[in-house]
Amino acid sequence: MSFEQTEQSKVFPNEAFGYWKVTVERPLRLATHVTPERMAAFREAADKKLFKPAELLATIAGGPSPQLDFNSVEQQFETALEKEGIKLRAAELKNIYTAFTAKDPLAERVIKKKTKAGTEYEPDPDLRDTEQVPLMEEGGVDAFIQREVLPHVPDAWVDRSKTLIGYEISFTRHFYKPKPLRSMDQIRTDLEGLQNEAEGLLDQIVAGAGAS
Protein backbone atom coordinates (compact mmCIF):
# COMPACT_ATOMS: atom_id res chain seq x y z
CA MET A 1 0.00 0.00 0.00
CA SER A 2 2.96 2.35 0.52
CA PHE A 3 4.02 1.86 -3.12
CA GLU A 4 7.62 1.21 -2.17
CA GLN A 5 9.97 -1.46 -3.48
CA THR A 6 10.80 -4.25 -1.03
CA GLU A 7 11.74 -7.91 -1.34
CA GLN A 8 8.03 -8.68 -1.57
CA SER A 9 7.01 -5.69 -3.69
CA LYS A 10 8.42 -4.26 -6.91
CA VAL A 11 7.25 -1.34 -9.05
CA PHE A 12 7.29 -1.51 -12.85
CA PRO A 13 5.96 0.63 -15.69
CA ASN A 14 3.05 -1.03 -17.52
CA GLU A 15 5.20 -1.47 -20.65
CA ALA A 16 7.56 -3.78 -18.76
CA PHE A 17 4.95 -6.54 -19.00
CA GLY A 18 4.05 -5.98 -22.65
CA TYR A 19 5.43 -7.49 -25.82
CA TRP A 20 4.92 -7.57 -29.55
CA LYS A 21 4.20 -11.04 -30.92
CA VAL A 22 5.65 -10.88 -34.42
CA THR A 23 5.40 -13.40 -37.24
CA VAL A 24 8.72 -14.09 -38.93
CA GLU A 25 8.44 -15.38 -42.49
CA ARG A 26 10.98 -17.00 -44.77
CA PRO A 27 10.65 -17.32 -48.53
CA LEU A 28 9.31 -20.31 -50.39
CA ARG A 29 12.01 -21.89 -52.57
CA LEU A 30 10.85 -24.30 -55.26
CA ALA A 31 12.69 -26.53 -57.72
CA THR A 32 10.81 -27.69 -60.82
CA HIS A 33 11.53 -31.09 -62.36
CA VAL A 34 9.34 -33.10 -64.72
CA THR A 35 10.58 -36.68 -64.35
CA PRO A 36 9.05 -39.78 -66.00
CA GLU A 37 7.92 -41.00 -62.59
CA ARG A 38 6.18 -37.74 -61.76
CA MET A 39 4.59 -37.58 -65.20
CA ALA A 40 3.24 -41.13 -64.83
CA ALA A 41 1.77 -40.31 -61.41
CA PHE A 42 0.28 -37.09 -62.79
CA ARG A 43 -1.42 -38.89 -65.68
CA GLU A 44 -3.02 -41.34 -63.27
CA ALA A 45 -4.52 -38.62 -61.09
CA ALA A 46 -5.09 -35.56 -63.28
CA ASP A 47 -7.77 -34.53 -65.74
CA LYS A 48 -6.88 -35.41 -69.36
CA LYS A 49 -7.09 -31.75 -70.40
CA LEU A 50 -3.98 -31.13 -68.29
CA PHE A 51 -1.84 -33.72 -70.11
CA LYS A 52 -0.87 -31.31 -72.90
CA PRO A 53 0.11 -28.50 -70.49
CA ALA A 54 2.20 -30.99 -68.49
CA GLU A 55 4.03 -31.99 -71.68
CA LEU A 56 4.74 -28.32 -72.38
CA LEU A 57 6.19 -27.97 -68.90
CA ALA A 58 8.36 -31.01 -69.58
CA THR A 59 10.02 -29.17 -72.48
CA ILE A 60 11.05 -26.45 -70.00
CA ALA A 61 11.92 -28.44 -66.89
CA GLY A 62 12.29 -32.02 -68.05
CA GLY A 63 16.06 -32.25 -68.19
CA PRO A 64 18.34 -34.37 -66.04
CA SER A 65 18.51 -31.76 -63.26
CA PRO A 66 15.85 -29.71 -61.45
CA GLN A 67 15.30 -26.11 -62.51
CA LEU A 68 16.09 -23.99 -59.45
CA ASP A 69 14.42 -20.76 -60.58
CA PHE A 70 10.66 -21.30 -60.39
CA ASN A 71 10.03 -17.69 -61.43
CA SER A 72 11.74 -18.27 -64.77
CA VAL A 73 9.99 -21.63 -65.29
CA GLU A 74 6.60 -20.08 -64.52
CA GLN A 75 7.16 -17.26 -67.01
CA GLN A 76 8.31 -19.63 -69.78
CA PHE A 77 5.46 -22.05 -69.10
CA GLU A 78 2.72 -19.44 -69.20
CA THR A 79 4.20 -17.97 -72.40
CA ALA A 80 4.14 -21.45 -73.96
CA LEU A 81 0.51 -21.93 -72.90
CA GLU A 82 -0.42 -18.61 -74.49
CA LYS A 83 1.28 -19.56 -77.77
CA GLU A 84 -0.65 -22.85 -77.83
CA GLY A 85 -3.91 -21.07 -77.03
CA ILE A 86 -4.35 -23.06 -73.83
CA LYS A 87 -6.22 -21.33 -71.03
CA LEU A 88 -6.09 -22.80 -67.54
CA ARG A 89 -7.83 -21.77 -64.35
CA ALA A 90 -5.71 -20.80 -61.36
CA ALA A 91 -6.59 -24.07 -59.62
CA GLU A 92 -5.47 -26.09 -62.66
CA LEU A 93 -2.17 -24.23 -62.85
CA LYS A 94 -1.66 -24.89 -59.16
CA ASN A 95 -2.28 -28.62 -59.66
CA ILE A 96 0.38 -28.78 -62.34
CA TYR A 97 2.95 -26.82 -60.32
CA THR A 98 2.26 -28.91 -57.22
CA ALA A 99 2.83 -32.12 -59.17
CA PHE A 100 6.19 -31.09 -60.59
CA THR A 101 7.78 -28.90 -57.91
CA ALA A 102 9.42 -29.57 -54.57
CA LYS A 103 10.92 -27.37 -51.89
CA ASP A 104 14.65 -26.94 -52.23
CA PRO A 105 16.81 -24.70 -49.98
CA LEU A 106 19.16 -24.11 -52.92
CA ALA A 107 16.40 -22.78 -55.20
CA GLU A 108 15.63 -19.13 -55.86
CA ARG A 109 12.97 -17.38 -53.82
CA VAL A 110 9.49 -17.55 -55.35
CA ILE A 111 8.28 -14.06 -56.21
CA LYS A 112 4.77 -13.13 -55.08
CA LYS A 113 4.62 -9.71 -56.74
CA LYS A 114 6.69 -6.69 -57.58
CA THR A 115 5.67 -3.22 -56.47
CA LYS A 116 7.20 0.23 -56.39
CA ALA A 117 8.27 -0.51 -52.82
CA GLY A 118 10.19 -3.62 -53.91
CA THR A 119 9.79 -7.34 -54.46
CA GLU A 120 7.52 -9.44 -52.25
CA TYR A 121 8.15 -13.17 -51.90
CA GLU A 122 5.85 -16.08 -51.22
CA PRO A 123 6.25 -17.23 -47.60
CA ASP A 124 6.94 -20.87 -46.75
CA PRO A 125 4.43 -21.90 -44.04
CA ASP A 126 6.75 -24.69 -42.85
CA LEU A 127 9.46 -22.14 -42.01
CA ARG A 128 7.14 -19.65 -40.31
CA ASP A 129 8.05 -18.69 -36.74
CA THR A 130 7.01 -16.20 -34.07
CA GLU A 131 9.03 -14.05 -31.69
CA GLN A 132 8.06 -12.12 -28.58
CA VAL A 133 9.70 -8.71 -28.49
CA PRO A 134 9.42 -6.64 -25.28
CA LEU A 135 7.66 -3.30 -25.71
CA MET A 136 10.62 -1.72 -23.95
CA GLU A 137 13.11 -3.29 -26.39
CA GLU A 138 15.57 -0.57 -27.37
CA GLY A 139 15.11 0.05 -31.07
CA GLY A 140 11.84 -1.88 -31.15
CA VAL A 141 11.04 -4.86 -33.38
CA ASP A 142 13.50 -3.86 -36.12
CA ALA A 143 16.47 -3.82 -33.75
CA PHE A 144 15.45 -7.16 -32.24
CA ILE A 145 15.11 -8.85 -35.65
CA GLN A 146 18.40 -7.38 -36.81
CA ARG A 147 20.21 -8.72 -33.74
CA GLU A 148 18.46 -12.02 -32.99
CA VAL A 149 17.06 -13.32 -36.29
CA LEU A 150 18.85 -12.05 -39.39
CA PRO A 151 22.33 -13.29 -38.38
CA HIS A 152 20.90 -16.83 -38.47
CA VAL A 153 18.37 -16.54 -41.35
CA PRO A 154 19.29 -13.53 -43.52
CA ASP A 155 16.31 -14.02 -45.87
CA ALA A 156 13.69 -13.64 -43.11
CA TRP A 157 11.22 -10.79 -42.76
CA VAL A 158 8.39 -9.74 -40.45
CA ASP A 159 4.77 -9.80 -41.63
CA ARG A 160 3.60 -6.58 -39.99
CA SER A 161 -0.07 -7.35 -40.66
CA LYS A 162 0.09 -10.24 -38.17
CA THR A 163 1.77 -8.37 -35.29
CA LEU A 164 -0.12 -8.55 -31.99
CA ILE A 165 0.42 -6.90 -28.60
CA GLY A 166 0.12 -8.95 -25.43
CA TYR A 167 0.92 -8.71 -21.72
CA GLU A 168 2.05 -11.27 -19.17
CA ILE A 169 3.24 -11.04 -15.57
CA SER A 170 5.89 -13.58 -14.62
CA PHE A 171 6.26 -13.67 -10.86
CA THR A 172 9.01 -16.26 -11.19
CA ARG A 173 11.10 -13.99 -13.38
CA HIS A 174 10.91 -11.08 -10.96
CA PHE A 175 10.92 -12.80 -7.57
CA TYR A 176 12.61 -16.17 -7.95
CA LYS A 177 15.85 -16.55 -5.99
CA PRO A 178 17.98 -19.46 -7.17
CA LYS A 179 19.49 -21.70 -4.56
CA PRO A 180 23.29 -21.50 -4.38
CA LEU A 181 25.06 -24.37 -6.12
CA ARG A 182 27.02 -26.87 -4.08
CA SER A 183 30.78 -26.53 -4.07
CA MET A 184 33.02 -28.96 -5.96
CA ASP A 185 34.31 -30.31 -2.64
CA GLN A 186 30.77 -31.22 -1.55
CA ILE A 187 30.05 -32.91 -4.87
CA ARG A 188 33.35 -34.83 -4.73
CA THR A 189 32.58 -36.03 -1.19
CA ASP A 190 29.14 -37.26 -2.23
CA LEU A 191 30.58 -39.11 -5.25
CA GLU A 192 33.23 -40.77 -3.14
CA GLY A 193 30.56 -41.84 -0.64
CA LEU A 194 28.46 -43.38 -3.42
CA GLN A 195 31.49 -45.14 -4.85
CA ASN A 196 32.39 -46.66 -1.46
CA GLU A 197 28.79 -47.74 -0.97
CA ALA A 198 28.73 -49.39 -4.39
CA GLU A 199 32.01 -51.22 -3.73
CA GLY A 200 30.64 -52.47 -0.39
CA LEU A 201 27.50 -53.82 -2.04
CA LEU A 202 29.59 -55.53 -4.74
CA ASP A 203 31.77 -57.20 -2.06
CA GLN A 204 28.62 -58.50 -0.35
CA ILE A 205 27.25 -59.90 -3.62
CA VAL A 206 30.56 -61.63 -4.45
CA ALA A 207 30.84 -63.05 -0.90
CA GLY A 208 27.27 -64.34 -1.06
CA ALA A 209 27.88 -66.01 -4.42
CA GLY A 210 31.02 -67.73 -3.04
CA ALA A 211 29.19 -69.06 -0.01
CA SER A 212 26.49 -70.62 -2.16
Side-chain angles (χ1 to χ4, degrees), residues 13-20 132 135 164-170:
N14 289 343
E15 293 80 4
F17 303 109
Y19 60 86
W20 290 288
Q132 288 191 5
L135 293 183
L164 301 172
I165 293 180
Y167 287 83
E168 65 177 357
I169 299 176
S170 174

Side-chain angles (χ1 to χ4, degrees), residues 50-197:
L50 299 182
F51 290 0
K52 177 63 176 178
E55 291 170 3
L56 286 176
L57 183 61
T59 64
I60 300 167
S65 302
Q67 296 291 325
L68 297 181
D69 189 347
F70 175 80
N71 308 299
S72 175
V73 170
E74 182 181 37
Q75 186 176 23
Q76 294 178 63
F77 180 50
E78 294 184 8
T79 299
L81 290 174
E82 188 176 350
K83 285 183 179 180
E84 293 290 332
I86 300 174
K87 295 183 179 180
L88 297 177
R89 301 193 306 271
E92 293 171 331
L93 272 174
K94 183 178 180 181
N95 286 341
I96 293 174
Y97 290 140
T98 299
F100 299 107
T101 60
K103 294 179 182 180
D104 189 326
L106 300 179
E108 296 294 326
R109 295 171 288 181
V110 176
I111 295 173
K112 182 177 182 179
K113 63 181 178 179
K114 292 184 177 181
T115 65
K116 292 182 179 180
T119 302
E120 294 184 22
Y121 297 98
E122 290 284 356
D124 186 339
D126 292 334
L127 300 179
R128 183 173 293 140
D129 199 5
T130 59
E131 297 283 354
Q132 288 191 5
V133 183
L135 293 183
M136 297 184 71
E137 173 77 24
E138 187 174 350
V141 172
D142 291 338
F144 178 90
I145 296 299
Q146 190 71 35
R147 185 183 71 251
E148 301 292 340
V149 176
L150 294 183
H152 309 289
V153 282
D155 58 1
W157 74 91
V158 172
D159 185 342
R160 305 283 178 177
S161 68
K162 297 178 181 178
T163 299
L164 301 172
I165 293 180
Y167 287 83
E168 65 177 357
I169 299 176
S170 174
F171 290 97
T172 301
R173 181 190 309 162
H174 300 299
F175 291 98
Y176 174 72
K177 292 183 179 180
K179 295 180 180 179
L181 297 175
R182 293 185 301 159
S183 67
M184 290 300 298
D185 289 338
Q186 290 175 316
I187 295 172
R188 187 181 299 109
T189 299
D190 288 347
L191 290 175
E192 289 174 351
L194 289 172
Q195 184 177 1
N196 293 335
E197 183 179 349

